[in-house]
Amino acid sequence: MGDLVRAQVDGERRRAIALNHTATHLLHAALRKALGTHVQQKGSLVAPDRLRFDFSHFQPISPAELTQIERLVNAQIRLNAPAETQHMGYESAVAAGAMALFGEKYDKDVRVLRIGDFSMELCGGTHGQRAGDIDLFKIVTESGVASGGRPIEALTGEA
C-alpha cells in the first residue's frame, strides 16, 4: 500500500490481439454458415501472432469446407463493416439475435458486438474498429480432439 506504480499498455500488441479477437467472431459466424447452426464455440486463444478457435462439430472439415470458411471471413474483411458495441439488457440482446454461449452466466446488462449483418455476439473483449482492419485471414490448421471439439488455428494481417 502506498507504492506508486506506472502501467503502460503495449499498443501494437494490444491492437494485434484486438484484430485476432475480431477475427474469431467472424470465424464463428462463418463456421455456422458453412457447417450448420449446431456449431458453437467451446474455447479460444487470442494471441498477438495467431488465433485458435475451438468449436463443436461431429466430423472432420473437408478441404472444400475450409476454403469456403476462409472465403466467408475474407469477404467480410473486404466489406469492412464497423465492429460496433452496444450495451443492452440480456433478454433484449438475445431477442435481437445476439449469440450467447450457453452455460455461461451473464449479468442483466450485457455488451453486444455486431460486425455488419454477419456476426452478433455477447462479448466484453477488445476488438478492431472495422472488419477491414484485420487485413487478411488464413486458416493454417484444423484438427479433432475428444468429445467432438475441433480447433482451427489461423493467422491474420502481416502474420
Side-chain angles (χ1 to χ4, degrees):
M1 289 187 59
D3 287 351
L4 293 177
V5 297
R6 181 172 180 248
Q8 183 171 347
V9 174
D10 180 336
E12 286 301 312
R13 182 177 187 279
R14 182 174 170 87
R15 176 174 157 70
I17 290 170
L19 295 178
N20 280 337
H21 188 184
T22 305
T24 65
H25 289 281
L26 295 177
L27 175 57
H28 193 190
L31 286 163
R32 290 175 59 86
K33 288 187 188 316
L35 304 177
T37 56
H38 67 278
V39 170
Q40 290 195 11
Q41 180 177 352
K42 296 297 182 186
S44 68
L45 166 74
V46 181
D49 60 336
R50 72 189 193 292
L51 65 93
R52 188 193 73 241
F53 189 83
D54 304 330
F55 62 99
S56 60
H57 191 53
F58 46 81
Q59 66 189 36
I61 301 174
S62 73
E65 289 169 325
L66 286 172
T67 297
Q68 178 189 10
I69 293 160
E70 198 173 87
R71 285 182 176 161
L72 284 168
V73 173
N74 280 306
Q76 292 304 309
I77 290 169
R78 285 190 303 279
L79 284 174
N80 197 26
E84 301 170 309
T85 57
Q86 182 180 5
H87 293 267
M88 62 177 71
Y90 174 80
E91 297 297 329
S92 297
V94 172
M99 199 156 147
L101 299 178
F102 298 105
E104 286 195 17
K105 296 192 187 281
Y106 293 99
D107 291 335
K108 196 171 95 173
D109 294 317
V110 294
R111 186 168 175 253
V112 178
L113 171 72
R114 176 189 292 253
I115 306 169
D117 293 329
F118 193 72
S119 174
M120 185 176 180
E121 294 186 54
L122 304 185
C123 186
T126 183
H127 304 93
Q129 292 184 353
R130 303 188 71 84
D133 296 343
I134 296 167
D135 243 2
L136 180 68
F137 176 85
K138 179 68 181 159
I139 295 172
V140 291
T141 64
E142 184 275 334
S143 58
V145 294
S147 304
R150 309 195 67 79
I152 281 187
E153 292 200 24
L155 304 175
T156 61
E158 280 188 47

